[in-house]
Amino acid sequence: MSSYTETRVDVAEFEELRLGDAFPLPIDDMSLAHQLGIHGKTLWWAIGAKDKLYKTFKMPKRGKAGRYREIQNPADKLKDIQKNILVRFLELIAVGKHVGAYIPHRGCKDTAVQHVGQAVIISLDLEDFFPSVRRSMIRKYLHKAIGYNHLVSSLLADLMTYTYFVPQGAPTSGLISNLVADYLFDQKILEELSKRDPKWVYTRYSDDIDISHPETQPDEKLLEIIEMVRATTRRAGFLLNQAKTKIEPKWDRQKVLGMVVNTKVNIPRLEYERVRSIIHNCFVHGFDNQYERAELSSVAGLKSHIRGKLAYYKNIDPVKTQRLKDKFDLACQIHHKPNMAENEVRFDE
């Protein structure tokens, strides 16, 4: 009888859910396993063995010689479970346009365009964004913001974390980090900016925060905004990288996520010309003697670097990017007897 009563209490908690009837309503381990399409014993196996189900390795940070990012890549079975969490749970939660990364059908240009033509832009950077998102934060978000009971919130938090933090390689990591950050500090910053002046524009693309205003602001007001963001994120458990804090007025080159936004979203001219020069040299001289000039360690690294730049540029200016892509593909054909699966630049990734 007591078990039935407890179940009824758990079900009653879900009356506070704001996500509609289509959203999954697990109340215990068995109903959660059912929603994820796995057996209950598989659920508990994944949780009990999760720290052994990740392969960790280091990846060089782009553009930062000698610095590495640690990646925790989950085993296929755990990754499949996380993909189900992503599709069946997380992607059903609406996120405001101020959040740009890891949201289906949104790209970095959608974030940058919100700051075009502003008089001043403040750019801030969060340190160690994914490792800062802890299991306890996820559990709190799922319980307080979504309405799941403690058991279900804890189980989902376990399935999405490595030891006690969000891993860099899990398919759920980007979106759950966004949701937690939005709950813990984005909404508070948006509310505070609106109180001060509704003209302030706030966006966050993963760990990159940009705040802009259409009118020139005195230095003391800009510093107040920076301090407000620093204090708000710190209270939430996140730290700003003070060295990356920038204030860019309209008479300087304003950049958001690497894109120039003074009058329209555009590729920085010097960066575009540098990549064009690299591709031209590869076309004329081949790849073997170019990767060191590009400060990279191998031909494979050079190709990967070029592919990444082209995929990024395509979102900004597809016409200019297509010209670079055509020449890059031709260079691959001339100098490396192309294997299209290896050399083709893919824009759908």
Side-chain angles (χ1 to χ4, degrees):
M1 183 65 180
S2 62
S3 176
Y4 175 78
T5 302
E6 290 171 4
T7 301
R8 294 296 299 170
V9 171
D10 284 345
V11 171
E13 290 182 20
F14 291 102
E15 293 177 1
E16 299 301 320
L17 281 169
R18 307 178 226 167
L19 298 168
D21 296 335
F23 202 75
L25 301 180
I27 60 173
D28 55 21
D29 56 336
M30 296 306 294
S31 55
L32 176 60
H34 175 72
Q35 294 284 356
L36 295 175
I38 58 177
H39 295 295
K41 63 181 181 181
T42 305
L43 173 72
W44 285 109
W45 164 81
I47 291 173
K50 66 170 187 171
D51 293 341
K52 300 177 183 178
L53 295 176
Y54 285 88
K55 179 181 179 181
T56 63
F57 59 92
K58 292 185 178 180
M59 179 179 293
K61 288 189 175 182
R62 184 179 299 176
K64 298 179 180 179
R67 298 188 63 184
Y68 296 86
R69 186 189 313 276
E70 186 172 274
I71 306 297
Q72 303 87 21
N73 189 46
D76 290 344
K77 183 61 179 178
L78 179 56
K79 186 176 290 187
D80 288 341
I81 295 172
Q82 292 168 339
K83 288 178 180 177
N84 284 341
I85 294 174
L86 179 66
V87 173
R88 300 182 185 186
F89 288 78
L90 303 184
E91 288 184 352
L92 298 179
I93 303 173
V95 187
K97 69 175 184 178
H98 61 281
V99 178
Y102 314 114
I103 307 296
H105 312 299
R106 290 187 198 175
C108 52
K109 187 176 181 180
D110 298 308
T111 295
V113 74
Q114 298 179 58
H115 300 283
V116 169
Q118 298 286 73
V120 63
I121 299 175
I122 303 170
S123 295
L124 306 154
D125 181 84
L126 293 165
E127 289 186 351
D128 300 322
F129 181 53
F130 280 11
S132 297
V133 181
R134 305 306 175 99
R135 177 185 178 277
S136 58
M137 295 177 179
I138 297 174
R139 185 182 60 201
K140 178 181 178 181
Y141 167 75
L142 293 172
H143 180 59
K144 297 293 186 181
I146 305 302
Y148 287 137
N149 61 37
H150 280 289
L151 174 60
V152 171
S153 299
S154 296
L155 294 175
L156 285 169
D158 276 326
L159 291 169
M160 290 187 281
T161 51
Y162 168 74
T163 62
Y164 54 87
F165 62 89
V166 167
Q168 294 267 1
T172 48
S173 294
L175 188 45
I176 191 58
S177 297
N178 268 342
L179 294 169
V180 168
D182 187 44
Y183 172 68
L184 291 180
F185 65 81
D186 281 349
Q187 293 301 322
K188 293 179 175 64
I189 293 173
L190 284 166
E191 183 179 358
E192 180 61 30
L193 288 173
S194 181
K195 287 180 182 177
R196 295 179 183 223
D197 188 342
K199 294 179 183 178
W200 284 107
V201 177
Y202 171 89
T203 63
R204 180 178 53 78
Y205 193 91
S206 188
D207 56 357
D208 291 305
I209 293 174
D210 291 284
I211 304 171
S212 64
H213 198 281
E215 300 166 0
T216 301
Q217 301 293 312
D219 290 345
E220 58 268 22
K221 183 171 290 188
L222 298 175
L223 294 176
E224 286 176 5
I225 295 295
I226 293 172
E227 176 56 27
M228 181 270 293
V229 174
R230 186 200 65 79
T232 304
T233 54
R234 186 170 185 174
R235 283 193 297 269
F238 299 79
L239 294 177
L240 291 180
N241 185 339
Q242 298 290 354
K244 292 186 177 181
T245 299
K246 296 184 298 181
I247 298 175
E248 297 174 328
K250 62 183 178 181
W251 50 82
D252 287 340
R253 185 180 63 170
Q254 297 173 317
K255 292 175 68 177
V256 172
L257 302 176
M259 290 168 272
V260 177
V261 295
N262 291 72
T263 57
K264 66 176 184 177
V265 177
N266 206 355
I267 304 169
R269 181 176 59 85
L270 292 178
E271 182 180 329
Y272 176 83
E273 290 178 353
R274 176 180 175 273
V275 174
R276 183 176 63 180
S277 175
I278 291 172
I279 293 175
H280 175 75
N281 288 336
C282 291
F283 175 78
V284 175
H285 305 291
F287 291 85
D288 291 334
N289 57 357
Q290 293 301 315
Y291 65 85
E292 290 183 349
R293 294 184 62 182
E295 299 182 354
L296 296 165
S297 59
S298 65
V299 170
L302 175 59
K303 288 183 179 180
S304 178
H305 174 75
I306 294 173
R307 291 190 189 104
K309 288 293 185 183
L310 294 180
Y312 176 67
Y313 291 165
K314 196 251 181 187
N315 185 51
I316 305 171
D317 191 329
V319 175
K320 289 172 67 174
T321 305
Q322 188 63 45
R323 292 197 290 266
L324 293 183
K325 176 187 181 298
D326 291 342
K327 195 161 190 177
F328 173 69
D329 286 343
L330 189 56
C332 291
Q333 293 175 20
I334 293 173
H335 296 287
H336 284 277
K337 298 179 181 179
N339 175 350
M340 292 307 295
E342 175 188 353
N343 293 326
E344 183 180 7
V345 179
R346 299 176 184 174
F347 291 142
D348 57 346
E349 294 180 351

